[in-house]
Amino acid sequence: MTDAIRGEVRGSAPVPLSVLDLVTVGSGRTATQALATSVELSRLAERRGFHRHWVAEHHSMPGVASSSPAVILAHLAAHTKRIRLGSGGVMLPNHAPLVIAEQFGTLEAFAPGRIDLGLGRAPGTDGATAAALRRTATLNEGADDFPEQLAELTRFLDDDFPDGHRYARIHAVPGPVQGPKGRPPIWLLGSSGFSARLAGLLGLPFAFAHHFSARNTIPALDLYRESFRPSEVLDAPYAMIGVSALAADEAAQAHRQVLSGALAMLRLRTGRPGLVPTPEEAEAYGFSPAEREFVNEWLANIVYGTPDEVRTGLDDLRKRTGADELMITANAHGGEARLRSYELIADAYELPELPEE
């Protein structure tokens, strides 16, 4: 297993801890402020010994400013020196494989040995926006062709199309054609069994979206492990799960913050996407019985509270799932609350303060 995949366990954490960043925009704030928070978060994560900082591709969501992961990652690379940076993920059906290979080859040139390429097969948006992103009107084509698109992308990254292939004379630049062979490791992301099985069959690391598909977590991880075949990348399965967690100095503060994120998700799921509401707005909102049921179910899958409570919850989740790495996302209104949460979680796990290079 390569060091690029297996992270270093720091402090008293039983597995590596990482960061999933949605670049959320709160009510009364701007995308500029949200992106500045992402830079602060990346530097904090690097200083406190988190293993990775990934950003996720979403579209047409006012409260999520992460529509262009490659652009964001280039900016984060300029402000960090050690932490691994990656996509969690790039939605492969939205892009030509050659374009992704060029983007991530460029990122690898910016930050050699620090880039991860996480790939998903969903559009990361609604159907109408997905249609606007693609060159064809057939939305099912991208998802159905995911294995073929993945194989094509891998060939571009490795610059090894066979002689006689229609793309044999096409090179993703920057890339291996310019120097020693090397590229960002590929991860498959998923919230169901399809990518879990494919990742296992290909011997790739797998990241599961527990933070919004908790019921499918253990079945998908079981399928991944059962399907796994050793490869040049991995000799054994490596599973990471994305988990929504938020710590605050007091439990009541944590609840106020996660309620804001729950209301934002409720509005998204009911066709009313917007900025993440303030805690005051969420507390004053008149939830219907059906809405309250949705919110309660959503909050049940978030690990939140004091730092010790969050650590206990994360440790329990790791034991239940057997995850090899936890990638923590904090959905709250303000950047200050998110940054404070990661600092508190680092303290709870006794992660060291690493010196700046």
Side-chain angles (χ1 to χ4, degrees):
M1 181 183 297
T2 65
D3 292 339
I5 295 170
R6 183 186 293 278
E8 180 181 353
V9 177
R10 301 181 186 275
S12 59
V15 296
L17 302 178
S18 293
V19 173
L20 176 62
D21 187 1
L22 304 186
V23 196
T24 50
V25 185
S27 176
R29 313 221 172 177
T30 66
T32 297
Q33 291 171 313
L35 289 164
T37 295
S38 290
V39 173
E40 289 186 66
L41 175 55
S42 200
R43 297 181 69 175
L44 182 156
E46 180 172 77
R47 174 174 55 82
R48 292 308 309 267
F50 288 86
H51 186 45
R52 313 174 203 274
H53 182 174
W54 281 9
V55 295
E57 178 183 345
H58 293 85
H59 299 278
S60 196
M61 298 179 186
V64 180
S66 58
S67 58
S68 301
V71 176
I72 297 171
L73 293 172
H75 191 62
L76 298 182
H79 288 82
T80 57
K81 295 181 179 180
R82 288 185 303 258
I83 193 168
R84 296 197 64 82
L85 302 169
S87 56
V90 164
M91 301 296 109
L92 180 52
N94 294 344
H95 313 277
L98 176 58
V99 172
I100 297 176
E102 291 173 336
Q103 290 176 344
F104 278 77
T106 302
L107 288 168
E108 181 69 19
F110 271 135
R114 290 207 290 137
I115 302 300
D116 297 322
L117 174 52
L119 299 168
R121 62 189 287 264
T125 187
D126 60 88
T129 306
L133 284 165
R134 300 178 186 180
R135 294 169 296 175
T136 66
T138 306
L139 291 183
N140 289 333
E141 178 182 330
D144 292 345
D145 291 348
F146 184 80
E148 291 76 16
Q149 291 178 314
L150 174 61
E152 183 178 309
L153 171 58
T154 303
R155 291 284 192 182
F156 276 124
L157 287 169
D158 289 338
D159 196 43
D160 67 351
F161 282 103
D163 292 341
H165 193 281
R166 60 176 177 165
Y167 295 150
R169 299 180 63 184
I170 300 174
H171 308 289
V173 178
V177 71
Q178 295 176 292
K181 185 173 182 178
R183 61 162 169 82
I186 290 176
W187 290 66
L188 294 193
L189 282 57
S191 58
S192 63
F194 181 94
S195 291
R197 182 187 297 274
L198 183 60
L201 293 174
L202 296 177
L204 295 175
F206 177 58
F208 186 81
H210 173 82
H211 54 296
F212 65 80
S213 188
R215 292 179 182 178
N216 293 329
T217 302
I218 292 178
L221 294 184
D222 287 345
L223 181 59
Y224 168 60
R225 292 166 182 141
E226 292 166 2
S227 304
F228 186 84
R229 299 175 181 174
S231 68
E232 293 181 357
V233 177
L234 289 174
D235 56 10
Y238 191 89
M240 175 167 65
I241 60 172
V243 53
S244 183
L246 191 135
D249 294 287
E250 298 180 0
Q253 295 174 351
H255 181 266
R256 295 182 76 238
Q257 293 295 335
V258 296
L259 185 61
S260 293
L263 177 55
M265 181 55 63
L266 171 66
R267 288 171 170 171
L268 176 64
R269 292 285 179 87
T270 54
R272 300 171 291 157
L275 304 181
V276 178
T278 64
E280 293 76 16
E281 182 181 354
E283 288 178 329
Y285 185 86
F287 293 97
S288 70
E291 290 176 332
R292 177 60 66 182
E293 182 180 2
F294 172 89
V295 166
N296 289 339
E297 290 181 358
W298 185 258
L299 293 179
N301 291 319
I302 301 176
V303 181
Y304 64 94
T306 64
D308 287 343
E309 289 172 336
V310 170
R311 171 166 181 163
T312 297
L314 292 176
D315 287 347
D316 289 346
L317 179 62
R318 182 198 60 80
K319 292 175 183 177
R320 285 191 287 112
T321 62
D324 299 293
E325 186 171 338
L326 298 179
M327 177 163 274
I328 300 166
T329 184
N331 189 7
H333 169 264
E336 299 87 351
R338 294 174 60 223
L339 294 169
R340 179 63 176 162
S341 175
Y342 286 107
E343 193 83 70
L344 290 173
I345 291 172
D347 288 343
Y349 279 103
E350 301 173 341
L351 299 188
E353 288 267 0
L354 299 178
E356 294 186 4
E357 293 185 355

